[in-house]
Amino acid sequence: MPHDDLLDTPRGPARVDTGLPAEAARALLVLGHGAGGDVDAPDLRALGDAAVAAGLAVARVTQPYRVAGRRAPAPAGHLDEAWTAVLSVLRDRHPGVPLLVGGRSSGARVACRTATAVDAAGVVALAFPLHPPGRPERSRAGELATGVPTLVVNGDRDPFGVPEPAPGVRVVIRPGERHDLRVDPAATAAVMIDWLREHGWARA
């Protein structure tokens, strides 16, 4: 499979960067980027590399608006529609293994909102933006009710807030980290890999 791959969606082409383990994959992990960022963000790169090393196939998805060169994010419904279309193709490419979805910030929100629709087994959310900065009354906590095991990793200095744990939702707070989770991406990835191992989705 190509490392860098364009897939058609109802909202234009999305790009998929795929990493495959040396052996048969234990699961497929699909990750989305932040609103103005890309799939090479340090935390996404570290998580993707660690997951491949732990036996997962990893696909990092660039939304159509970013492929088209725009920084302003598309509406939530458009993001969800494009993501779901990409997931349909990726499920066909990687049959017979659990599907895990996630991402950072906006990408984490998309993964949470669509987890049930794409029949995901679990969700990993990096820097979930609980609310706009300075607007705690505009909580997005309801999006974390995915119905499947969900791990949230946020920095304790994140101006977008830190979600509270809830049934099925584990929250790990990284000290000294802000929204970009740039201080120690490898340690952040290790937290997530440990959680994946707990569920049998990553090699011990």
Side-chain angles (χ1 to χ4, degrees), residues 16-17 35 37 56 59-60 68 98 118 121 125 140 198 200-201:
V16 179
D17 293 276
L56 287 81
R60 292 175 296 137
V118 302
R140 300 159 178 152
E198 286 180 28
W201 296 321

Side-chain angles (χ1 to χ4, degrees), residues 88-108:
S88 178
V89 174
L90 294 178
R91 286 301 288 266
D92 289 342
R93 289 182 176 180
H94 302 274
V97 297
L99 170 65
L100 309 171
V101 296
R104 67 164 285 103
S105 196
S106 172

Side-chain angles (χ1 to χ4, degrees), residues 25-52:
R26 298 177 66 102
L28 169 64
L29 173 61
V30 186
L31 299 170
H33 55 79
D38 57 38
V39 296
D40 287 321
D43 53 352
L44 288 179
R45 174 70 75 178
L47 174 56
D49 290 347
V52 169

Side-chain angles (χ1 to χ4, degrees), residues 9-196:
T9 84
R11 298 297 168 181
R15 187 171 64 244
V16 179
D17 293 276
T18 303
L20 298 174
E23 70 279 11
R26 298 177 66 102
L28 169 64
L29 173 61
V30 186
L31 299 170
H33 55 79
D38 57 38
V39 296
D40 287 321
D43 53 352
L44 288 179
R45 174 70 75 178
L47 174 56
D49 290 347
V52 169
L56 287 81
V58 177
R60 292 175 296 137
V61 177
T62 301
Q63 284 274 356
Y65 76 93
R66 294 291 286 140
V67 173
R70 299 189 297 273
R71 290 194 67 84
H78 294 188
L79 297 175
D80 294 356
E81 188 177 11
W83 174 260
T84 301
V86 170
L87 265 291
S88 178
V89 174
L90 294 178
R91 286 301 288 266
D92 289 342
R93 289 182 176 180
H94 302 274
V97 297
L99 170 65
L100 309 171
V101 296
R104 67 164 285 103
S105 196
S106 172
R109 294 184 65 196
V110 173
C112 288
R113 288 194 302 259
T114 59
T116 299
V118 302
D119 196 26
V123 178
V124 291
L126 290 154
F128 184 88
L130 182 62
H131 56 71
R135 301 294 300 276
E137 73 280 2
R138 293 180 57 188
S139 175
R140 300 159 178 152
E143 292 181 353
L144 286 168
T146 63
V148 298
T150 298
L151 175 66
V152 179
V153 179
N154 274 49
D156 64 350
R157 301 180 184 180
D158 193 332
F160 290 82
V162 179
E164 293 289 331
V169 181
R170 182 184 300 180
V171 178
V172 176
I173 301 172
R174 299 282 299 139
E177 294 274 14
R178 295 182 60 81
H179 192 63
D180 55 17
L181 294 171
R182 284 178 178 267
V183 174
D184 193 346
T188 295
V191 169
M192 306 199 112
I193 297 300
D194 285 345
W195 183 82
L196 294 172

